[in-house]
Amino acid sequence: MNDLGESATASLSMFTPSHRWVKDSTKVILMSAPVSYVTLLNSFTHSWFDMKTINLKYETILDSIGSSEVYINAELIRSLMDLEIAILGDSKKLFLGGTFPGGAMTSLAAYTYKEEIGGLVSFSGFMLPGTEVRGEDFPTIYE
């Protein structure tokens, strides 16, 4: 899932044959956040939720973002997960990834999904309220 202000096409080059880092048999779906108003940027752009400030402290994050958009878009992502898992036949074959707010949304969608998925990659993401880590579902790597 995309970074603030970018559509999924910004990441498309990572999945072209010359740069492809996943197997040819791997299906890749690049989701774009809907276009909505972002207070921080004072404009309409691709964003999973409104960001009023860049100061995203966990304790006050709900005051810094459009929380209703978070939960509406998380449900949209989980609906797509349902469809893909029905095709794949196994939730462990599904992996999610995202950058910054897209990373936050992938974490929320993965950890609140009804089944365990194969994995999660979050670049510069953060945990949104309601994202409770269940046991040790996913190994975590920090740099």
Side-chain angles (χ1 to χ4, degrees):
M1 284 172 241
N2 53 302
D3 197 354
L4 179 64
E6 293 182 348
S7 73
T9 56
S11 301
L12 190 58
S13 65
M14 290 176 38
F15 300 97
T16 59
S18 61
H19 293 95
R20 196 166 174 97
W21 52 276
V22 294
K23 294 179 181 179
D24 288 340
S25 60
T26 303
K27 180 179 179 180
V28 176
I29 298 173
L30 300 175
M31 288 185 71
S32 284
V35 173
S36 59
Y37 185 77
V38 177
T39 305
L40 180 67
L41 302 175
N42 193 29
S43 68
F44 284 87
T45 190
H46 289 278
S47 183
W48 291 106
F49 45 84
D50 185 18
M51 294 182 68
K52 299 169 185 148
T53 178
I54 200 70
N55 187 11
L56 300 173
K57 293 181 182 174
Y58 187 81
E59 299 79 22
T60 59
I61 198 165
L62 290 179
D63 297 330
S64 304
I65 64 170
S67 57
S68 63
E69 296 163 316
V70 167
Y71 301 106
I72 290 168
N73 287 322
E75 188 55 39
L76 172 73
I77 295 164
R78 286 190 294 267
S79 295
L80 181 61
M81 292 169 69
D82 287 338
L83 293 172
E84 287 304 311
I85 290 169
I87 293 167
L88 295 168
D90 181 0
S91 65
K92 297 274 189 154
K93 292 182 179 180
L94 181 72
F95 291 77
L96 296 179
T99 305
F100 193 36
M105 291 302 296
T106 55
S107 298
L108 179 65
Y111 283 120
T112 59
Y113 193 66
K114 60 190 171 202
E115 299 175 56
E116 188 176 323
I117 65 168
L120 167 68
V121 178
S122 177
F123 298 101
S124 301
F126 50 92
M127 297 296 253
L128 291 161
T131 310
E132 294 186 27
V133 177
R134 299 181 309 245
E136 294 186 29
D137 290 344
F138 302 115
T140 304
I141 299 170
Y142 297 97
E143 286 191 35

PDB file of all heavy atoms in Angstrom, residues 24-42:
ATOM      1  N   ASP A  24       7.708 -15.286 -10.610  1.00  0.00           N
ATOM      2  CA  ASP A  24       6.756 -15.026 -11.686  1.00  0.00           C
ATOM      3  C   ASP A  24       5.373 -15.556 -11.353  1.00  0.00           C
ATOM      4  O   ASP A  24       4.370 -15.032 -11.811  1.00  0.00           O
ATOM      5  CB  ASP A  24       7.242 -15.630 -13.004  1.00  0.00           C
ATOM      6  CG  ASP A  24       8.416 -14.858 -13.587  1.00  0.00           C
ATOM      7  OD1 ASP A  24       8.605 -13.685 -13.213  1.00  0.00           O
ATOM      8  OD2 ASP A  24       9.148 -15.444 -14.412  1.00  0.00           O
ATOM      9  N   SER A  25       5.302 -16.594 -10.548  1.00  0.00           N
ATOM     10  CA  SER A  25       4.020 -17.192 -10.185  1.00  0.00           C
ATOM     11  C   SER A  25       3.299 -16.410  -9.084  1.00  0.00           C
ATOM     12  O   SER A  25       2.180 -16.731  -8.730  1.00  0.00           O
ATOM     13  CB  SER A  25       4.229 -18.636  -9.729  1.00  0.00           C
ATOM     14  OG  SER A  25       5.083 -18.671  -8.598  1.00  0.00           O
ATOM     15  N   THR A  26       3.938 -15.382  -8.550  1.00  0.00           N
ATOM     16  CA  THR A  26       3.353 -14.586  -7.481  1.00  0.00           C
ATOM     17  C   THR A  26       2.435 -13.511  -8.051  1.00  0.00           C
ATOM     18  O   THR A  26       2.825 -12.760  -8.930  1.00  0.00           O
ATOM     19  CB  THR A  26       4.451 -13.914  -6.630  1.00  0.00           C
ATOM     20  OG1 THR A  26       5.309 -14.927  -6.121  1.00  0.00           O
ATOM     21  CG2 THR A  26       3.859 -13.114  -5.496  1.00  0.00           C
ATOM     22  N   LYS A  27       1.244 -13.461  -7.528  1.00  0.00           N
ATOM     23  CA  LYS A  27       0.291 -12.420  -7.925  1.00  0.00           C
ATOM     24  C   LYS A  27       0.535 -11.197  -7.038  1.00  0.00           C
ATOM     25  O   LYS A  27       0.586 -11.301  -5.817  1.00  0.00           O
ATOM     26  CB  LYS A  27      -1.137 -12.926  -7.737  1.00  0.00           C
ATOM     27  CG  LYS A  27      -2.194 -11.923  -8.107  1.00  0.00           C
ATOM     28  CD  LYS A  27      -3.578 -12.537  -7.912  1.00  0.00           C
ATOM     29  CE  LYS A  27      -4.677 -11.576  -8.254  1.00  0.00           C
ATOM     30  NZ  LYS A  27      -6.001 -12.206  -8.050  1.00  0.00           N
ATOM     31  N   VAL A  28       0.697 -10.041  -7.653  1.00  0.00           N
ATOM     32  CA  VAL A  28       0.930  -8.798  -6.920  1.00  0.00           C
ATOM     33  C   VAL A  28      -0.225  -7.853  -7.194  1.00  0.00           C
ATOM     34  O   VAL A  28      -0.555  -7.582  -8.348  1.00  0.00           O
ATOM     35  CB  VAL A  28       2.271  -8.138  -7.338  1.00  0.00           C
ATOM     36  CG1 VAL A  28       2.442  -6.798  -6.639  1.00  0.00           C
ATOM     37  CG2 VAL A  28       3.437  -9.061  -7.041  1.00  0.00           C
ATOM     38  N   ILE A  29      -0.838  -7.363  -6.129  1.00  0.00           N
ATOM     39  CA  ILE A  29      -1.896  -6.359  -6.243  1.00  0.00           C
ATOM     40  C   ILE A  29      -1.391  -5.108  -5.543  1.00  0.00           C
ATOM     41  O   ILE A  29      -1.022  -5.149  -4.373  1.00  0.00           O
ATOM     42  CB  ILE A  29      -3.201  -6.835  -5.571  1.00  0.00           C
ATOM     43  CG1 ILE A  29      -3.721  -8.087  -6.263  1.00  0.00           C
ATOM     44  CG2 ILE A  29      -4.245  -5.730  -5.593  1.00  0.00           C
ATOM     45  CD1 ILE A  29      -4.903  -8.720  -5.565  1.00  0.00           C
ATOM     46  N   LEU A  30      -1.344  -4.003  -6.254  1.00  0.00           N
ATOM     47  CA  LEU A  30      -0.899  -2.739  -5.677  1.00  0.00           C
ATOM     48  C   LEU A  30      -2.136  -1.875  -5.427  1.00  0.00           C
ATOM     49  O   LEU A  30      -2.772  -1.408  -6.360  1.00  0.00           O
ATOM     50  CB  LEU A  30       0.073  -2.038  -6.616  1.00  0.00           C
ATOM     51  CG  LEU A  30       1.342  -2.823  -6.944  1.00  0.00           C
ATOM     52  CD1 LEU A  30       2.168  -2.080  -7.986  1.00  0.00           C
ATOM     53  CD2 LEU A  30       2.155  -3.077  -5.696  1.00  0.00           C
ATOM     54  N   MET A  31      -2.464  -1.697  -4.156  1.00  0.00           N
ATOM     55  CA  MET A  31      -3.635  -0.896  -3.798  1.00  0.00           C
ATOM     56  C   MET A  31      -3.249   0.567  -3.658  1.00  0.00           C
ATOM     57  O   MET A  31      -2.236   0.888  -3.049  1.00  0.00           O
ATOM     58  CB  MET A  31      -4.232  -1.368  -2.465  1.00  0.00           C
ATOM     59  CG  MET A  31      -4.937  -2.682  -2.541  1.00  0.00           C
ATOM     60  SD  MET A  31      -5.723  -3.072  -0.955  1.00  0.00           S
ATOM     61  CE  MET A  31      -7.064  -1.883  -0.944  1.00  0.00           C
ATOM     62  N   SER A  32      -4.075   1.429  -4.192  1.00  0.00           N
ATOM     63  CA  SER A  32      -3.916   2.867  -3.980  1.00  0.00           C
ATOM     64  C   SER A  32      -4.918   3.327  -2.943  1.00  0.00           C
ATOM     65  O   SER A  32      -6.072   2.897  -2.950  1.00  0.00           O
ATOM     66  CB  SER A  32      -4.185   3.641  -5.275  1.00  0.00           C
ATOM     67  OG  SER A  32      -3.117   3.534  -6.159  1.00  0.00           O
ATOM     68  N   ALA A  33      -4.462   4.195  -2.073  1.00  0.00           N
ATOM     69  CA  ALA A  33      -5.391   4.806  -1.119  1.00  0.00           C
ATOM     70  C   ALA A  33      -6.362   5.687  -1.886  1.00  0.00           C
ATOM     71  O   ALA A  33      -6.031   6.224  -2.945  1.00  0.00           O
ATOM     72  CB  ALA A  33      -4.614   5.651  -0.104  1.00  0.00           C
ATOM     73  N   PRO A  34      -7.563   5.847  -1.354  1.00  0.00           N
ATOM     74  CA  PRO A  34      -8.504   6.755  -2.008  1.00  0.00           C
ATOM     75  C   PRO A  34      -7.989   8.194  -1.950  1.00  0.00           C
ATOM     76  O   PRO A  34      -7.154   8.534  -1.114  1.00  0.00           O
ATOM     77  CB  PRO A  34      -9.783   6.606  -1.189  1.00  0.00           C
ATOM     78  CG  PRO A  34      -9.442   5.816   0.009  1.00  0.00           C
ATOM     79  CD  PRO A  34      -8.092   5.223  -0.164  1.00  0.00           C
ATOM     80  N   VAL A  35      -8.475   9.018  -2.831  1.00  0.00           N
ATOM     81  CA  VAL A  35      -8.134  10.440  -2.793  1.00  0.00           C
ATOM     82  C   VAL A  35      -9.043  11.098  -1.755  1.00  0.00           C
ATOM     83  O   VAL A  35     -10.266  10.959  -1.811  1.00  0.00           O
ATOM     84  CB  VAL A  35      -8.314  11.102  -4.184  1.00  0.00           C
ATOM     85  CG1 VAL A  35      -8.127  12.610  -4.088  1.00  0.00           C
ATOM     86  CG2 VAL A  35      -7.331  10.498  -5.180  1.00  0.00           C
ATOM     87  N   SER A  36      -8.422  11.767  -0.812  1.00  0.00           N
ATOM     88  CA  SER A  36      -9.180  12.457   0.234  1.00  0.00           C
ATOM     89  C   SER A  36      -8.383  13.679   0.697  1.00  0.00           C
ATOM     90  O   SER A  36      -7.218  13.844   0.351  1.00  0.00           O
ATOM     91  CB  SER A  36      -9.466  11.513   1.402  1.00  0.00           C
ATOM     92  OG  SER A  36      -8.275  11.028   1.956  1.00  0.00           O
ATOM     93  N   TYR A  37      -9.033  14.499   1.491  1.00  0.00           N
ATOM     94  CA  TYR A  37      -8.391  15.722   1.961  1.00  0.00           C
ATOM     95  C   TYR A  37      -7.405  15.387   3.080  1.00  0.00           C
ATOM     96  O   TYR A  37      -7.722  14.662   4.017  1.00  0.00           O
ATOM     97  CB  TYR A  37      -9.424  16.728   2.468  1.00  0.00           C
ATOM     98  CG  TYR A  37      -8.801  18.049   2.845  1.00  0.00           C
ATOM     99  CD1 TYR A  37      -8.418  18.956   1.863  1.00  0.00           C
ATOM    100  CD2 TYR A  37      -8.561  18.368   4.166  1.00  0.00           C
ATOM    101  CE1 TYR A  37      -7.820  20.154   2.187  1.00  0.00           C
ATOM    102  CE2 TYR A  37      -7.968  19.575   4.513  1.00  0.00           C
ATOM    103  CZ  TYR A  37      -7.591  20.462   3.512  1.00  0.00           C
ATOM    104  OH  TYR A  37      -6.997  21.649   3.848  1.00  0.00           O
ATOM    105  N   VAL A  38      -6.186  15.947   2.981  1.00  0.00           N
ATOM    106  CA  VAL A  38      -5.153  15.770   4.002  1.00  0.00           C
ATOM    107  C   VAL A  38      -4.817  17.141   4.567  1.00  0.00           C
ATOM    108  O   VAL A  38      -4.253  17.992   3.869  1.00  0.00           O
ATOM    109  CB  VAL A  38      -3.896  15.087   3.423  1.00  0.00           C
ATOM    110  CG1 VAL A  38      -2.811  14.971   4.483  1.00  0.00           C
ATOM    111  CG2 VAL A  38      -4.244  13.717   2.863  1.00  0.00           C
ATOM    112  N   THR A  39      -5.186  17.362   5.811  1.00  0.00           N
ATOM    113  CA  THR A  39      -4.994  18.657   6.466  1.00  0.00           C
ATOM    114  C   THR A  39      -3.522  19.075   6.454  1.00  0.00           C
ATOM    115  O   THR A  39      -3.206  20.234   6.175  1.00  0.00           O
ATOM    116  CB  THR A  39      -5.510  18.594   7.914  1.00  0.00           C
ATOM    117  OG1 THR A  39      -6.883  18.163   7.896  1.00  0.00           O
ATOM    118  CG2 THR A  39      -5.404  19.937   8.604  1.00  0.00           C
ATOM    119  N   LEU A  40      -2.626  18.149   6.745  1.00  0.00           N
ATOM    120  CA  LEU A  40      -1.192  18.441   6.789  1.00  0.00           C
ATOM    121  C   LEU A  40      -0.693  19.042   5.475  1.00  0.00           C
ATOM    122  O   LEU A  40       0.143  19.940   5.474  1.00  0.00           O
ATOM    123  CB  LEU A  40      -0.415  17.161   7.107  1.00  0.00           C
ATOM    124  CG  LEU A  40       1.094  17.247   7.198  1.00  0.00           C
ATOM    125  CD1 LEU A  40       1.509  18.089   8.399  1.00  0.00           C
ATOM    126  CD2 LEU A  40       1.700  15.857   7.302  1.00  0.00           C
ATOM    127  N   LEU A  41      -1.205  18.564   4.361  1.00  0.00           N
ATOM    128  CA  LEU A  41      -0.787  19.034   3.041  1.00  0.00           C
ATOM    129  C   LEU A  41      -1.697  20.124   2.485  1.00  0.00           C
ATOM    130  O   LEU A  41      -1.417  20.695   1.434  1.00  0.00           O
ATOM    131  CB  LEU A  41      -0.745  17.858   2.053  1.00  0.00           C
ATOM    132  CG  LEU A  41       0.174  16.697   2.434  1.00  0.00           C
ATOM    133  CD1 LEU A  41       0.023  15.555   1.436  1.00  0.00           C
ATOM    134  CD2 LEU A  41       1.613  17.155   2.530  1.00  0.00           C
ATOM    135  N   ASN A  42      -2.816  20.359   3.157  1.00  0.00           N
ATOM    136  CA  ASN A  42      -3.811  21.340   2.719  1.00  0.00           C
ATOM    137  C   ASN A  42      -4.249  21.076   1.273  1.00  0.00           C
ATOM    138  O   ASN A  42      -4.350  21.990   0.462  1.00  0.00           O
ATOM    139  CB  ASN A  42      -3.280  22.770   2.878  1.00  0.00           C
ATOM    140  CG  ASN A  42      -4.377  23.808   2.726  1.00  0.00           C
ATOM    141  OD1 ASN A  42      -5.537  23.545   3.016  1.00  0.00           O
ATOM    142  ND2 ASN A  42      -4.013  24.990   2.251  1.00  0.00           N
TER     143      ASN A  42
END
